[in-house]
Amino acid sequence: MLLPRQKTPNLELETLDHGAFNLSTDIAELGVVICYYRGLHCPICAKQLMDLQSHVDEFAKRGVTCIAVSSDDKQRTQQMADKVGAGNLKFGYGMSLAKAKEWGLYISTSRGTTSIGIEEPALFSEPGLFLVGPDQCLYYGSVQTMPFARPHFAELLGALDFAITNDYPARGEYSGEV
């Protein structure tokens, strides 16, 4: 499990239109939002990524960049980016499932063709949303076992505003005996 205020695993992968992404060097002034999504087969992911795309500029105004990441290959990632009107949202592709597990993401097996007629990969990660600070330490994390009930980016922006205004620290950092 990743702990707030602790360094996250690094993340290096190719993006569709923005070259290589390396978390250790590509963090904006206040951080980066990493939205791990299930893949092209997931209609809920498409809705979430449309929502993220609509907030990318607001995150940028606060000194935070955004990237959407999955284990899909380049072709499927491009199809998802086209579907959601990717604009200035970075899309990373080809994340290994070993890296997904390193980030604490759950792995699922295929159930075949989805409700939108797209085949699920044999294995894929479930969604996760992270805000990583400029020191590459975890500030916020949400990991899910199911595609349903995703965090909302407007709420994350409000929380970010509160954290900036009040110098609010990342919480959940205690790892000692209880």
Side-chain angles (χ1 to χ4, degrees):
M1 171 169 57
L2 301 183
L3 287 175
R5 303 185 199 173
Q6 300 296 314
K7 196 165 188 172
T8 65
N10 198 26
L11 180 64
E12 296 181 54
L13 39 75
E14 290 297 317
T15 68
L16 292 178
D17 299 316
H18 300 91
F21 174 83
N22 183 331
L23 180 59
S24 67
T25 58
D26 293 336
I27 298 179
E29 178 187 357
L30 288 183
V32 59
V33 168
I34 303 171
C35 181
Y36 291 107
Y37 68 99
R38 301 170 84 222
L40 176 65
H41 64 276
C42 179
I44 298 170
C45 293
K47 287 180 185 174
Q48 182 186 36
L49 294 173
M50 283 184 227
D51 183 36
L52 177 56
Q53 170 56 46
S54 73
H55 289 91
V56 167
D57 291 339
E58 288 301 313
F59 279 107
K61 287 178 188 174
R62 291 158 175 85
V64 175
T65 58
C66 300
I67 185 168
V69 175
S70 79
S71 56
D72 275 352
D73 63 19
K74 185 176 184 178
Q75 180 182 3
R76 284 173 66 105
T77 301
Q78 185 65 62
Q79 289 175 319
M80 180 62 96
D82 293 344
K83 180 187 286 191
V84 304
N88 54 354
L89 174 59
K90 291 179 187 175
F91 273 79
Y93 61 89
M95 176 186 63
S96 72
L97 293 177
K99 181 60 70 174
K101 287 185 86 170
E102 195 177 343
W103 276 83
L105 301 177
Y106 293 93
I107 308 298
S108 290
T109 57
S110 177
R111 296 194 61 210
T113 303
T114 65
S115 62
I116 58 172
I118 298 175
E119 187 77 19
E120 291 182 345
L123 296 172
F124 58 91
S125 68
E126 291 297 335
L129 183 64
F130 299 90
L131 175 56
V132 178
D135 55 359
Q136 201 181 329
C137 288
L138 180 64
Y139 186 81
Y140 166 86
S142 173
V143 177
Q144 296 179 253
T145 63
M146 299 285 283
F148 314 113
R150 308 282 177 98
H152 298 279
F153 293 104
E155 290 178 17
L156 186 56
L157 279 166
L160 185 57
D161 288 341
F162 179 85
I164 292 167
T165 300
N166 296 288
D167 194 26
Y168 195 78
R171 303 311 310 265
E173 75 287 355
Y174 182 76
S175 63
E177 293 294 320
V178 291

